[in-house]
Amino acid sequence: MKKGILILFVLFSTILTAQWKPAGNKIKTKWAETITTVNVLNQYPRPIMKRSDWKNLNGLWEYSISEYGNPKPEKFDGDILVPFPVESGLSGVMKEVGASKELWYQTNFTVPGNWKGKNILLHFGAVDWKADVWINDVKVGSHSGGYTPFSFDITPFLKGTSQNITVKVWDPSSDGQQPRGKQVKNPNGIWYTPVTGIWQTVWLEPVNTKSISSIKTISDIDGSTIKISANVKGASYGDVFEVTVFDGEKTIANVKSSVYEEINISLKNPKLWSPESPFLYRMALKLISKGKITDEVKSYFAMRKVSIKKDGNGIVRMQLNNKDYFQFGPLDQGWWPDGLYTAPSDEALKYDIIKTKELGFNMIRKHVKVEPARWYTYCDELGILVWQDMPNGGDSPQEWQNRKYFDGKELIRTPESEKIYRKEWKEIIDYLYSYPSIVVWVPFNESWGQFKTEEIVEWTKTYDPGRLVNPASGGNHYRTGDILDLHNYPGPDLFLYDAQRATVLGEYGGIGLPLEGHLWKTDNNWGYVKFKNSKETTDEYIKYAQQLMKLIKVGFSAAVYTQTTDVEGEINGFMTYDRKVDKLDVERVNQINKQVIETLQQ
């Protein structure tokens, strides 16, 4: 019987996959070759708050592109592989949408029979940009924001055995005021292909009426304590929140409190987290009502501290766990030639972090993009510091210098644009608050959409006092926040210095090496400087690193090299865009990078 079921499953998978194939003729990663329509990104999407039961809705859905404002189409255009954006090759569609059109999705699903009596949550990892959702032709909610997860309790709208879900997406790309990172409708140079629609996992989860909706952890290594709080849906007075903390398999704490109270746990001789020793404490969290467990999730936390302090020479240094610590890593854009914003597999998502560690770095600057939750958990587990950018947005680059929009120092946003920014920045911080790997928030990059800098920075610092705030990486500089961030291409240069904040080199490098057979574009590929082979490129990288070491001693406290991979027309990565070739000598880069990081200890 089991053998027969397996044969039927293989046949079903083969039939479905035959209906789908990647679109276009762009280069692809090796992981694209392993994708079928029934195994798409099928790992649990939110490991920092994990339940035992869930259902993945990724796979083939119907799609249609229609004029903005039109009703739901009676007939759809074809199939799309969710969660790959419609412009990507792996979606099987590879079509543009734009501000004048809307993208519709539709699929059917069943709720597992053993979920009876549960509330069913419909989760979206991320949808770019505005999503309206219907269940069985009843609109259940909307969400705007292309980088954060959202969910709806769809229990009241379920009927019968088969359920229908419809999603409508509008994304104005570079014609709009919303955060969009490097997406533009006419990609070229450092600007890339638009991403529209569902681009992270869609999934179902059963919960009880009383359930944990989010958790928040704040570590204090100076006081040897961890603070844990939870948002609880359906809570009533008398309900209890229980936290059990594990060091490996050993239980080291078990604490209970009212659901309305924060739990504060003292740890004896806490193990500190760092890139060299990324130790994570594991947790089991229970919600108890009238003596019965109504919800249970698994999570983790780390004990670590990030701060700034003047060294013996009066230079402000970045510190990790109260020790001077030079942070050094690549600019990581998180783009894929086959999936655009969406990694083709979970292994691929993890691969770039592993390669960054192999190159000898201890940090990643996640550049104007926010990743799926699993990416941040991998950073926590593998041990890599993260600088998290806010994806830029606002008016188009061509309008920044227009006097109507620019006051000579900052962008003058419309009230609607400012409202969108503030909402989405807060949602991003809320989403990522408990990941210990994140140590720096970067609200602006190179004056792209930069507005009310001092106000935004002070709000960010107040909202999350446990991290550093880098006001504007390479942008218009205001004396606010914790960091002065300089950009200089191609080689490093210390041309400004701040005696009260940490001075960092937020971008440099960009050494280009185009490799035939691994290019997104056949011509007009771009790098700040170009070389002909791996040895020349590696030699130039090492020359810059040696220059950087001299500048560290006189002022720099961190540096970011551009970049992890080639991206579309940019050919300045450590790896080709398809991740099939390491363009530089990994061993030589690793050796010099470790020397750079250890400069402060010399």
Side-chain angles (χ1 to χ4, degrees):
M1 182 65 180
K2 289 183 178 179
K3 184 177 180 181
I5 292 173
L6 178 61
I7 293 172
L8 287 173
F9 177 80
V10 171
L11 288 172
F12 179 66
S13 173
T14 303
I15 292 169
L16 283 177
T17 303
Q19 298 172 2
W20 166 87
K21 64 178 181 178
N25 58 0
K26 296 290 187 181
I27 56 173
K28 296 176 181 63
T29 65
K30 64 179 182 180
W31 300 283
E33 300 168 3
T34 66
I35 292 174
T36 71
T37 59
V38 294
N39 73 343
V40 186
L41 295 168
N42 55 5
Q43 296 77 18
Y44 188 82
R46 189 192 56 206
I48 202 168
M49 197 181 97
K50 187 174 183 179
R51 291 190 176 94
S52 59
D53 214 356
W54 72 293
K55 182 175 182 176
N56 189 358
L57 295 185
N58 293 342
L60 283 181
W61 294 34
E62 292 181 285
Y63 87 95
S64 185
I65 299 172
S66 64
E67 294 299 319
Y68 180 88
N70 280 2
K72 176 181 175 180
E74 294 183 4
K75 184 179 180 181
F76 282 70
D77 298 342
D79 291 333
I80 183 171
L81 188 59
V82 170
F84 297 107
V86 68
E87 295 91 348
S88 72
L90 290 182
S91 71
V93 179
M94 207 173 184
K95 292 180 181 178
E96 296 180 1
V97 182
S100 64
K101 297 182 184 297
E102 291 171 318
L103 173 63
W104 291 83
Y105 295 85
Q106 177 176 266
T107 194
N108 294 320
F109 65 91
T110 58
V111 176
N114 61 350
W115 292 5
K116 188 175 182 180
K118 299 280 190 177
N119 287 4
I120 310 302
L121 302 182
L122 171 63
H123 293 278
F124 293 85
V127 180
D128 196 357
W129 174 72
K130 184 180 185 299
D132 297 302
V133 180
W134 288 260
I135 296 294
N136 297 322
D137 295 324
V138 177
K139 188 174 181 180
V140 298
S142 301
H143 179 266
S144 62
Y147 299 95
T148 51
F150 59 97
S151 63
F152 305 109
D153 184 341
I154 61 172
T155 314
F157 312 102
L158 302 176
K159 59 181 183 181
T161 55
S162 180
Q163 317 298 329
N164 177 267
I165 177 174
T166 303
V167 181
K168 180 181 72 172
V169 180
W170 178 66
D171 179 18
S173 187
S174 48
D175 287 331
Q177 302 179 88
Q178 81 290 348
R180 62 179 180 275
K182 286 197 168 185
Q183 305 175 53
V184 295
K185 61 182 180 182
N186 296 309
N188 64 86
I190 66 168
W191 304 99
Y192 315 141
T193 303
V195 170
T196 301
I198 299 169
W199 69 274
Q200 289 186 31
T201 292
V202 186
W203 54 296
L204 298 175
E205 187 177 39
V207 297
N208 288 318
T209 303
K210 293 185 177 185
S211 61
I212 300 167
S213 55
S214 67
I215 55 178
K216 184 177 182 180
T217 58
I218 301 174
S219 64
D220 176 6
I221 71 167
D222 298 324
S224 298
T225 59
I226 181 72
K227 296 178 181 178
I228 306 160
S229 57
N231 287 321
V232 176
K233 184 178 180 181
S236 56
Y237 188 73
D239 290 346
V240 173
F241 183 43
E242 178 182 352
V243 176
T244 306
V245 178
F246 302 92
D247 178 344
E249 298 297 320
K250 182 181 178 182
T251 300
I252 60 172
N254 179 265
V255 180
K256 297 177 182 179
S257 76
S258 163
V259 292
Y260 301 111
E261 295 295 319
E262 181 180 72
I263 284 180
N264 199 328
I265 300 175
S266 295
L267 299 173
K268 185 177 181 180
N269 300 319
K271 297 179 180 179
L272 304 185
W273 182 98
S274 69
E276 294 73 31
S277 180
F279 180 81
L280 298 174
Y281 289 93
R282 301 292 169 175
M283 291 192 296
L285 304 97
K286 297 178 181 178
L287 178 62
I288 304 170
S289 182
K290 296 180 181 179
K292 293 183 178 180
I293 298 172
T294 67
D295 197 9
E296 183 171 3
V297 299
K298 293 182 179 180
S299 186
Y300 63 86
F301 67 87
M303 298 297 290
R304 70 102 182 92
K305 176 184 176 182
V306 59
S307 55
I308 56 174
K309 185 179 180 180
K310 287 187 177 181
D311 66 11
N313 296 317
I315 298 172
V316 178
R317 296 297 186 187
M318 302 177 80
Q319 292 197 321
L320 181 65
N321 300 332
N322 294 321
K323 296 180 180 179
D324 292 351
Y325 191 89
F326 190 82
Q327 299 187 22
F328 189 32
L331 193 77
D332 188 321
Q333 316 231 33
W335 284 75
W336 302 85
D338 34 30
L340 299 180
Y341 258 15
T342 310
S345 73
D346 190 65
E347 181 187 359
L349 186 72
K350 187 178 182 180
Y351 181 82
D352 285 0
I353 306 170
I354 293 173
K355 183 61 65 173
T356 299
K357 294 278 288 188
E358 289 179 359
L359 287 164
F361 290 114
N362 60 19
M363 176 262 280
I364 288 170
R365 180 180 169 203
K366 179 48 64 176
H367 191 42
V368 296
K369 185 199 177 192
V370 179
E371 292 289 358
R374 292 186 66 85
W375 188 87
Y376 296 96
T377 291
Y378 284 137
C379 290
D380 295 340
E381 293 176 340
L382 295 171
I384 198 87
L385 304 173
V386 176
W387 293 14
Q388 180 60 58
D389 286 12
M390 169 65 171
N392 57 282
D395 296 297
S396 66
Q398 293 76 19
E399 293 176 320
W400 291 345
Q401 302 301 326
N402 187 315
R403 291 186 180 182
K404 179 181 178 183
Y405 300 95
F406 192 72
D407 67 0
K409 292 184 178 180
E410 294 185 300
L411 181 74
I412 302 173
R413 287 182 181 251
T414 65
E416 179 64 19
S417 173
E418 183 173 333
K419 180 181 177 182
I420 291 170
Y421 177 97
R422 291 179 184 273
K423 171 185 177 292
E424 296 193 23
W425 185 223
K426 180 181 180 298
E427 287 184 356
I428 288 169
I429 294 176
D430 286 341
Y431 162 44
L432 299 176
Y433 199 102
S434 294
Y435 292 95
S437 54
I438 300 175
V439 293
V440 175
W441 297 119
V442 188
F444 300 112
N445 176 75
E446 290 184 349
S447 77
W448 299 352
Q450 188 176 345
F451 77 105
K452 297 185 178 179
T453 307
E454 294 171 310
E455 183 181 334
I456 296 297
V457 168
E458 290 307 313
W459 177 88
T460 304
K461 191 68 180 174
T462 301
Y463 196 65
D464 183 5
R467 290 185 172 92
L468 303 181
V469 179
N470 182 353
S473 184
N476 293 325
H477 300 301
Y478 291 78
R479 185 154 287 181
T480 186
D482 304 294
I483 295 168
L484 170 66
D485 184 322
L486 312 179
H487 290 184
N488 196 77
Y489 286 102
D493 188 20
L494 180 60
F495 55 86
L496 285 176
Y497 175 76
D498 193 320
Q500 304 304 319
R501 297 181 296 167
T503 303
V504 308
L505 183 60
E507 290 182 31
Y508 81 101
I511 304 169
L513 175 62
L515 290 184
E516 194 68 33
H518 302 277
L519 299 174
W520 173 267
K521 297 170 60 178
T522 55
D523 56 7
N524 295 323
N525 288 289
W526 184 84
Y528 288 94
V529 289
K530 291 184 182 180
F531 289 87
K532 296 179 180 179
N533 58 57
S534 177
K535 184 181 183 304
E536 290 180 354
T537 309
T538 305
D539 288 346
E540 190 74 358
Y541 178 84
I542 290 174
K543 183 181 79 173
Y544 291 168
Q546 291 169 339
Q547 294 171 1
L548 176 61
M549 284 189 282
K550 296 176 182 178
L551 298 175
I552 292 169
K553 292 180 180 180
V554 296
F556 276 140
S557 293
V560 177
Y561 177 84
T562 303
Q563 61 188 338
T564 307
T565 72
D566 294 349
V567 184
E568 297 202 357
E570 293 187 54
I571 41 83
N572 48 17
F574 286 107
M575 295 180 281
T576 54
Y577 195 18
D578 57 17
R579 276 75 166 174
K580 291 181 178 178
V581 180
D582 292 326
K583 299 199 296 180
L584 279 69
D585 185 322
V586 174
E587 185 175 346
R588 291 181 66 200
V589 170
N590 176 285
Q591 291 174 352
I592 194 67
N593 283 351
K594 288 183 177 178
Q595 292 179 41
V596 169
I597 291 169
E598 293 169 359
T599 301
L600 292 181
Q601 280 71 52
Q602 295 174 358

